[in-house]
Amino acid sequence: MYDINKIMAVGLLLFGLVVVVFVLIVTLIRQYLYFKNRIKVLEKRNQKLEAKLEAKSKSIADTYSVNNERFNYFNAIFSAMKDGIVVYKGSGELIVVNPVARKYLHIDKHIFFKEDRSSYGAFYNKLEQTCRVTYQTKESISFEYEDGEQTFSVVSLLIPDRYNKSACLGVLAVVTDVTEARRIEQRRKEFVSNVSHEFRTPMTLISGYAEMLKMWDEVTLEERQKALGVIEQETKRLKKLVSELLTLSRLDSMEENALPLAYVDVEAAIDQILWTLEDMAAKKQITFISEVCVDYPILRANEQFFYQMMLNLIENGIKYNREQGFVKVCAHNDETTLYLSVSDNGVGMEEKHLHRIFDRFYRVDEDRNSKHGGNGIGLAIVRNAVTYMHGSIHVTSSPNEGSEFLIELPLKHGQDGGNR
Ligand code: ADP
């Protein structure tokens, strides 16, 4: 017989066991579901993170490429600039030196790696020092520096911080070669002073003699005639000076692409000049020798300038000649060039003057009231006219033997109307 109590106890035990197993299974299932869910959430988060990371790295790559592109653009701009550019970060770290600055300041590309830059010479040191002062005082500074034959203008400027108005990132220095500008300025000053001087001498003479003539009854006939003679001669000189200055100024301001020009009859123009100067030559018994054989039509040029150029040369050949000398004019052409020469056996010039005689107001004989009465503008007109016609001029001369002026004018240039 079974013991009922034992059976019940075993039954209860089994039931308890089943309950425990059930609770365990339920707990396991819940845990499983919880972790599955968690893994899903984490996976999603991971995917989002990955996407974000990808977007970030793409934007970094884009920024890098944009910066790289910008750097290339800036580099190209700096390299192409005619001015020298030097940039310092803060008060001393060198960031940019473009090729022009390297040339002007006599520095090489190793400058970026040098702690001590004193070996780069006075100009670079002055620039660096100036930039340091600009950074400290927050004031722009400009100065001019003469380096041998060249003059440079330097400006140092603060580089402001875009995001912080009160701060600045560094200093930018711009170096400009102003040699040509200063030279032109100097020449302009000399020109004005020369013109004033040229006018003053004849005007002083004219007003002096006019004053004298006011006392008409107190001066002798001879004195009156002398006064009138001087007034007439100085008025002529002034007239010539004004007309020469006008020609020079016209040549200076002539536009390159004016209307197409007519052909110049070279032979006829030279004949006309020789005829005009016949009396002047006869006074010194000077002989003209003309060897002119030029095709027509061949030279397109401004006729007035061509005429003036030849007239000045031939007139000089007479003026700076001796009694019974000669002036020889030659002209011939080939397909491409017109060759002109004016020579004489007159007083000639020393070698040292030859490179200056085409300068405005330059005279070999410094005396402004010399017997020839020239004002030193004739050859300046000749050179300007030759340059205007895209040609070249050469002179050979020796004292007491004579001079020869050789001009070559290109013809091809003129066929399309560009030779003027
Ligand atoms: P100017 O009106 O004084 O003659 P130019 O400009 O024509 O001025 O000439 C400049 C200088 O060159 C003259 O003062 C003269 O001394 C010199 N010169 C020009 N042509 C001759 C020449 N054929 N022979 C000698 N000297 C010349």
Side-chain angles (χ1 to χ4, degrees):
M1 278 309 278
Y2 298 103
D3 187 347
I4 190 84
N5 285 338
K6 264 187 189 171
I7 291 169
M8 273 184 74
V10 169
L12 264 172
L13 201 73
L14 278 172
F15 178 74
L17 216 75
V18 168
V19 168
V20 168
V21 168
F22 178 75
V23 169
L24 213 73
I25 287 170
V26 168
T27 311
L28 277 172
I29 289 171
R30 278 190 65 195
Q31 281 295 314
Y32 170 74
L33 287 174
Y34 170 76
F35 278 117
K36 202 178 163 192
N37 214 18
R38 195 81 196 122
I39 284 167
K40 259 192 187 165
V41 170
L42 283 174
E43 265 176 4
K44 263 193 186 167
R45 208 180 270 174
N46 211 14
Q47 271 173 2
K48 269 188 192 166
L49 268 175
E50 262 176 22
K52 266 190 189 169
L53 259 176
E54 205 172 301
K56 198 84 197 157
S57 64
K58 193 171 173 306
S59 113
I60 288 172
D62 284 352
T63 314
Y64 176 76
S65 115
V66 167
N67 279 345
N68 204 26
E69 212 170 279
R70 269 193 200 157
F71 176 77
N72 284 338
Y73 281 131
F74 282 127
N75 217 11
I77 293 169
F78 282 140
S79 303
M81 280 177 85
K82 275 190 186 162
D83 292 333
I85 301 287
V86 182
V87 179
Y88 292 98
K89 184 176 167 186
S91 65
E93 192 189 336
L94 199 55
I95 302 289
V96 174
V97 181
N98 73 344
V100 177
R102 267 191 243 153
K103 193 174 108 194
Y104 289 171
L105 297 159
H106 314 294
I107 53 183
D108 55 40
K109 55 185 180 215
H110 305 297
I111 186 146
F112 289 103
F113 312 107
K114 284 208 168 179
E115 290 283 302
D116 174 23
R117 300 179 193 129
S118 55
S119 62
Y120 281 123
F123 189 13
Y124 177 78
N125 288 336
K126 177 150 190 191
L127 179 127
E128 194 180 63
Q129 179 62 23
T130 305
C131 289
R132 209 164 274 149
V133 175
T134 296
Y135 189 75
Q136 282 156 7
T137 58
K138 311 272 179 273
E139 298 270 352
S140 297
I141 301 176
S142 46
F143 67 90
E144 281 202 2
Y145 190 87
E146 296 214 353
D147 191 13
E149 304 246 295
Q150 284 176 294
T151 309
F152 295 99
S153 137
V154 180
V155 185
S156 65
L157 306 154
L158 279 176
I159 306 170
D161 186 342
R162 259 172 84 187
Y163 304 104
N164 180 2
K165 292 270 180 280
S166 58
C168 62
L169 299 173
V171 181
L172 161 80
V174 183
V175 188
T176 313
D177 184 350
V178 291
T179 315
E180 186 59 14
R182 295 291 170 273
R183 204 176 57 79
I184 290 171
E185 214 171 284
Q186 181 60 25
R187 280 185 61 185
R188 190 187 56 77
K189 278 185 195 158
E190 277 171 18
F191 183 75
V192 172
S193 130
N194 275 323
V195 169
S196 324
H197 199 114
E198 292 298 333
F199 274 89
R200 201 173 330 122
T201 314
M203 279 165 72
T204 312
L205 282 169
I206 291 170
S207 72
Y209 280 101
E211 274 300 309
M212 188 180 125
L213 287 177
K214 272 202 213 157
M215 299 174 285
W216 187 260
D217 295 330
E218 290 163 41
V219 287
T220 62
L221 182 66
E222 207 176 292
E223 283 168 334
R224 280 182 212 158
Q225 272 169 351
K226 188 186 170 198
L228 288 169
V230 172
I231 288 173
E232 189 188 13
Q233 182 196 311
E234 294 306 312
T235 312
K236 271 190 196 156
R237 192 196 278 229
L238 276 179
K239 228 172 107 185
K240 185 165 183 272
L241 178 63
V242 170
S243 101
E244 285 186 334
L245 284 173
L246 279 174
T247 309
L248 256 190
S249 126
R250 276 192 64 205
L251 273 164
D252 280 346
S253 58
M254 213 66 184
E255 278 184 28
E256 266 292 305
N257 296 310
L259 291 170
L261 294 158
Y263 286 102
V264 175
D265 188 338
V266 175
E267 286 198 29
I270 292 174
D271 280 350
Q272 168 77 29
I273 295 167
L274 294 181
W275 180 77
T276 310
L277 296 174
E278 232 170 42
D279 287 350
M280 187 181 174
K283 279 185 192 155
K284 281 169 107 176
Q285 295 166 33
I286 284 168
T287 317
F288 285 143
I289 305 165
S290 171
E291 289 176 8
V292 180
C293 181
V294 178
D295 298 336
Y296 177 82
I298 191 94
L299 173 75
R300 271 184 198 266
N302 181 312
E303 187 161 15
Q304 201 195 331
F305 291 151
F306 178 83
Y307 187 90
Q308 189 71 49
M309 173 183 89
M310 293 306 289
L311 180 94
N312 287 3
L313 288 176
I314 299 170
E315 197 179 350
N316 277 353
I318 303 169
K319 273 197 306 191
Y320 303 106
N321 215 324
R322 50 191 159 86
E323 299 275 324
Q324 294 176 340
F326 70 79
V327 177
K328 186 171 171 186
V329 186
C330 302
H332 69 277
N333 70 280
D334 58 22
E335 290 264 295
T336 58
T337 314
L338 170 64
Y339 303 91
L340 300 159
S341 104
V342 178
S343 53
D344 62 70
N345 60 344
V347 296
M349 290 166 276
E350 284 180 62
E351 174 82 29
K352 64 176 182 186
H353 297 292
L354 299 186
H355 72 287
R356 295 217 53 199
I357 52 171
F358 296 102
D359 290 352
R360 292 165 193 205
F361 298 107
Y362 186 80
R363 276 167 290 213
V364 171
D365 177 1
E366 280 301 319
D367 182 4
R368 288 177 198 262
N369 293 311
S370 72
K371 58 183 165 151
H372 304 298
N375 44 43
I377 299 180
L379 288 181
I381 292 177
V382 171
R383 183 178 55 186
N384 274 25
V386 171
T387 309
Y388 188 61
M389 290 185 262
H390 304 277
S392 60
I393 182 161
H394 298 282
V395 54
T396 49
S397 185
S398 35
N400 301 321
E401 283 183 25
S403 313
E404 181 171 21
F405 290 83
L406 285 164
I407 294 175
E408 289 186 15
L409 299 178
L411 296 172
K412 281 268 157 54
H413 208 94
Q415 300 313 305
D416 57 1
N419 186 358
R420 46 196 135 258

